[in-house]
């Protein structure tokens, strides 16, 4: 197949841990051709969505890991699959990219995850669709509501709806120290909506990333354990990743969500679970392939390529 990856600049990849690289390596081992482009390379021209993409070949070298041909404008429907692997921020440029990808779908392109499904699943707010699995949660920009929530629950987490990698997350304890400043900063004086949740003490045992692929559940999670003095387990925030089998509660959450999300056009989803609570539904560019594979031997990238090949053939 001809597989096109919409992704961040290739030179920014950390190949020892990058999940997109793991996908590419597995695809190349199966004989598929690889192409790459960024959001800035897409255009709607003469009624057709095209991308200035480069065919790439993997070298096996950890530093100079790819060779690339000269870029060529290619209609997206000429690829067998387009994989949306651009990291957030989920800003308006990201939204415009999903609009172009959706137009490309109408012209015959196969896009994974489906652009409309990505737009419809804010990675924080989507947990509200599965409230039976969530801790007490408030979404608002109203300071009085946030203060009332804090008065009820005491120990709370506040975070923006569009962050990634643990950015912008604050914990305010029972004493309410700096609550006003945190509210003002995160809501930008009441102009931006945020999420507030009751603090989940089990974070000390890790923020578990559970992967769903093609409606099925990867049997291992990566528990991202916060470093000393931190409330964020994200690897980007210094957390340590420890792979572990799924608990019964993990399986209950994952097996409930997996078929529903797959039916909505989400081939790959990364659930975040702390203790027994669902905290995020990641659909833009879920990661942790390589960490799980390295620690357990379970080949996540192979499972993903199996699902992708089946989806394209369907």
């Amino acid at each position: 197949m001809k597989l096109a990856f919409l992704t961040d600049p290739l030179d920014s990849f950390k190949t020892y841990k990058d999940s997109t690289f793991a996908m590419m390596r597995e695809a190349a081992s199966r004989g598929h051709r690889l192409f790459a482009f960024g959001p800035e390379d897409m255009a709607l021209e003469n009624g057709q969505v095209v991308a200035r993409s480069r065919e790439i070949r993997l070298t096996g070298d950890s530093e100079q890991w790819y060779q690339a041909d000269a870029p060529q404008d290619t209609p997206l429907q000429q690829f067998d699959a387009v994989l949306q692997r651009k990291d957030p921020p989920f800003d308006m440029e990201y939204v415009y990219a999903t609009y172009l990808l959706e137009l490309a779908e109408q012209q015959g392109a196969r896009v994974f995850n489906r652009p409309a499904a990505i737009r419809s699943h804010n990675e924080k707010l989507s947990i509200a669709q599965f409230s039976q699995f969530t801790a007490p949660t408030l979404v608002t920009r109203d300071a009085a509501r946030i203060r009332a929530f804090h008065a009820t629950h005491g120990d709370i987490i506040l975070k923006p709806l569009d962050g990634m990698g643990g950015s912008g997350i604050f914990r305010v304890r029972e004493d309410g120290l700096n609550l006003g400043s945190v509210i003002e900063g995160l809501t930008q004086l009441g102009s931006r909506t945020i999420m507030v949740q009751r603090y989940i003490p089990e974070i000390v045992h890790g923020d578990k990333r559970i992967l769903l692929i093609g409606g099925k559940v990867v049997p291992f999670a990566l528990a991202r354990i916060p470093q000393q003095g931190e409330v964020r387990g994200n690897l980007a925030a210094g957390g340590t990743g420890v792979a572990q089998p799924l608990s019964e509660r993990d399986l209950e959450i994952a097996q409930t969500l997996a078929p529903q999300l797959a039916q909505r056009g989400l081939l790959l989803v990364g659930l975040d679970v702390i203790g027994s609570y669902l905290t995020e539904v990641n659909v833009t560019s879920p990661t942790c392939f390589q960490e799980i594979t390295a620690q357990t031997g379970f080949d996540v990238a192979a499972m993903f390529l199996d699902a992708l090949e089946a989806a394209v053939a369907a």
Side-chain angles (χ1 to χ4, degrees), residues 9 27 36 45 51 55 64 93 121 173 187 208 220 266 282 289:
E45 196 167 29
E55 183 166 7
Q64 303 296 324
E93 282 301 317
H121 290 81
R173 301 174 190 258
T187 68
K208 293 173 284 188
F220 297 93
L266 296 167
N282 294 275
F289 280 36

Side-chain angles (χ1 to χ4, degrees), residues 272-292:
D272 287 349
V273 173
I274 301 174
S276 58
Y277 297 107
L278 176 69
T279 60
E280 290 191 20
V281 178
N282 294 275
V283 301
T284 51
S285 56
T287 60
C288 299
F289 280 36
Q290 295 207 56
E291 294 89 346
I292 291 173

Side-chain angles (χ1 to χ4, degrees), residues 24-39:
M24 290 178 169
R25 183 172 56 193
E26 178 64 22
S29 76
R30 300 182 182 205
H32 300 311
R33 295 171 64 188
L34 309 178
F35 298 79
F37 63 96

Side-chain angles (χ1 to χ4, degrees), residues 10 34 82-83 86 101 130 141 150 153 156 160 163-164 176 182 184 197 205 219 225 259-260 271 284:
L10 299 180
L34 309 178
V82 177
L83 288 84
K86 176 74 178 67
L101 291 171
F130 309 100
R141 59 181 179 177
H150 176 259
H153 297 287
I156 63 173
M164 68 165 288
V182 172
E184 291 172 6
Q197 293 177 307
H205 303 301
I225 301 170
Q260 297 183 52
L271 306 180
T284 51

Side-chain angles (χ1 to χ4, degrees), residues 7-313:
T7 189
D8 292 294
L10 299 180
D11 291 338
S12 71
F13 280 29
K14 297 179 174 64
T15 57
Y16 65 91
K17 68 174 186 177
D18 193 283
S19 294
T20 304
F21 173 74
M23 295 174 185
M24 290 178 169
R25 183 172 56 193
E26 178 64 22
S29 76
R30 300 182 182 205
H32 300 311
R33 295 171 64 188
L34 309 178
F35 298 79
F37 63 96
E40 70 281 1
D41 296 314
M42 283 197 297
L44 175 64
E45 196 167 29
N46 299 320
Q48 194 168 53
V49 180
V50 300
R52 186 170 291 119
S53 64
R54 298 182 292 167
E55 183 166 7
I56 65 171
R57 283 168 295 281
L58 307 188
T59 64
D61 183 274
S62 60
E63 297 296 327
Q64 303 296 324
W65 64 271
Y66 71 95
Q67 295 175 338
D69 290 348
Q72 290 188 341
D73 276 345
T74 305
L76 291 189
Q77 71 266 29
Q78 290 187 13
F79 298 109
D80 293 287
V82 177
L83 288 84
Q84 162 61 300
R85 292 292 301 171
K86 176 74 178 67
D87 283 342
F90 196 85
D91 53 15
M92 282 310 299
E93 282 301 317
Y94 203 115
V95 172
Y96 296 148
T98 67
Y99 289 145
L100 289 175
L101 291 171
E102 196 169 14
L103 281 170
E105 281 187 317
Q106 296 170 16
Q107 296 168 359
R110 302 290 302 277
V111 184
F112 305 93
N113 287 327
R114 293 198 66 185
I118 292 176
R119 277 202 312 276
S120 297
H121 290 81
N122 175 274
E123 299 190 321
K124 307 290 193 300
L125 197 50
S126 289
I127 65 170
Q129 300 178 45
F130 309 100
S131 58
Q132 71 271 36
F133 298 129
T134 63
T137 298
L138 171 70
V139 177
T140 186
R141 59 181 179 177
D142 182 85
R145 291 183 188 274
I146 299 171
R147 289 185 180 278
F149 187 89
H150 176 259
T152 299
H153 297 287
D155 199 351
I156 63 173
I157 294 290
L158 304 92
K159 54 188 175 182
L161 291 176
D162 59 355
M164 68 165 288
S167 62
I169 294 178
F170 291 88
R171 178 185 181 184
V172 176
R173 301 174 190 258
E174 289 83 351
D175 59 13
L177 186 64
N178 290 326
L179 178 59
S181 295
V182 172
I183 293 172
E184 291 172 6
L186 282 182
T187 68
Q188 295 184 9
L189 300 176
S191 65
R192 290 179 65 86
T193 301
I194 67 170
M195 176 172 282
V196 190
Q197 293 177 307
R198 187 182 72 194
Y199 175 71
I200 305 170
E202 290 85 351
I203 183 61
V204 297
H205 303 301
D207 180 354
K208 293 173 284 188
R209 168 59 54 85
I210 300 171
L211 294 170
L212 313 179
I213 298 176
K216 298 179 180 178
V217 182
V218 173
F220 297 93
L222 189 74
R224 297 159 297 173
I225 301 170
Q227 60 181 322
Q228 190 70 28
E230 262 286 0
V231 296
R232 303 170 299 170
N234 309 74
L235 300 182
T240 301
V242 178
Q244 58 190 40
L246 301 188
S247 68
E248 288 188 14
R249 176 64 166 179
D250 295 339
L251 278 170
E252 179 188 5
I253 295 171
Q255 290 175 345
T256 301
L257 271 63
Q260 297 183 52
L261 296 176
Q263 191 172 29
R264 298 176 190 178
L266 296 167
L267 182 72
L268 172 62
V269 178
L271 306 180
D272 287 349
V273 173
I274 301 174
S276 58
Y277 297 107
L278 176 69
T279 60
E280 290 191 20
V281 178
N282 294 275
V283 301
T284 51
S285 56
T287 60
C288 299
F289 280 36
Q290 295 207 56
E291 294 89 346
I292 291 173
T293 299
Q295 294 184 40
T296 68
F298 184 87
D299 197 333
V300 182
M303 179 177 174
F304 177 78
L305 260 294
D306 288 345
L308 178 64
E309 290 170 347
V312 172

